[in-house]
Amino acid sequence: MLVPQSAASVPAYVDRLPEDTVIAPGMQDWQRPELAAAYRLEGMIRWGGTAAADALCWVASGLDPEKWPVAVWARHGGGWEVYDCGMVEFLLKVFRADFPECPISDLSLWGNSAPRFLHMQEEQRIRDTGIDPWTGEPDPWAGVEFD
């Protein structure tokens, strides 16, 4: 599991939002306009994403990472929303369907009582064997290269 750290010590696979992402159309949209004045995209650290291309971030506001809220840019949800909880509580609420509505565009985790985690290296190792790591079935795209 990734642990929130100061921005100076964040590993390469957890990083600030790239500049091209920050300036992309729609990335400045907020579900509640008052949040746009309270938070800056440059102050967010991306720790995850969904199959639906949502961005899951910590709002790195303050010196104590334990108090950083979670911000989500939901591709199908109208822009950014901030949740006053940490990453683990946020994920538990998604898995338990404890939010009033699903905060992410990908509904596969919503109310999922038996979620699975695969490290990206393990996922790739399994995929390289020709197996879909999420279903255990042969991967119909194995060996196909895309431009």
Side-chain angles (χ1 to χ4, degrees):
M1 179 173 85
L2 301 175
V3 178
Q5 301 172 19
S6 72
S9 63
V10 174
Y13 47 86
V14 174
D15 206 351
R16 300 275 180 193
L17 291 172
E19 184 178 337
D20 59 340
T21 298
V22 171
I23 63 172
M27 290 304 286
Q28 299 292 328
D29 295 344
W30 291 81
Q31 292 183 31
R32 294 181 289 149
E34 66 273 14
L35 295 178
Y39 300 104
R40 294 173 31 107
L41 298 184
E42 296 82 5
M44 298 203 191
I45 298 174
R46 186 169 191 248
W47 55 263
T50 69
D54 298 343
L56 307 173
C57 301
W58 286 299
V59 178
S61 55
L63 300 176
D64 185 0
E66 296 290 327
K67 295 181 181 174
W68 291 349
V70 169
V72 175
W73 184 79
R75 184 170 170 226
H76 300 296
W80 289 98
E81 182 59 76
V82 176
Y83 298 88
D84 192 23
C85 59
M87 176 184 70
V88 172
E89 183 179 351
F90 175 83
L91 292 172
L92 282 173
K93 285 183 169 191
V94 169
F95 297 148
R96 295 176 178 163
D98 282 345
F99 288 110
E101 59 185 45
C102 185
I104 57 177
S105 303
D106 178 5
L107 296 177
S108 67
L109 300 176
W110 185 243
N112 184 338
S113 62
R116 266 180 76 204
F117 170 79
L118 278 179
H119 188 281
M120 63 184 175
Q121 291 172 337
E122 179 66 2
E123 179 180 5
Q124 188 59 51
R125 185 194 68 74
I126 295 169
R127 196 172 299 285
D128 288 345
T129 67
I131 301 295
D132 180 316
W134 299 104
T135 65
E137 301 292 324
D139 185 350
W141 301 103
V144 176
E145 294 188 27
F146 299 93
D147 293 332

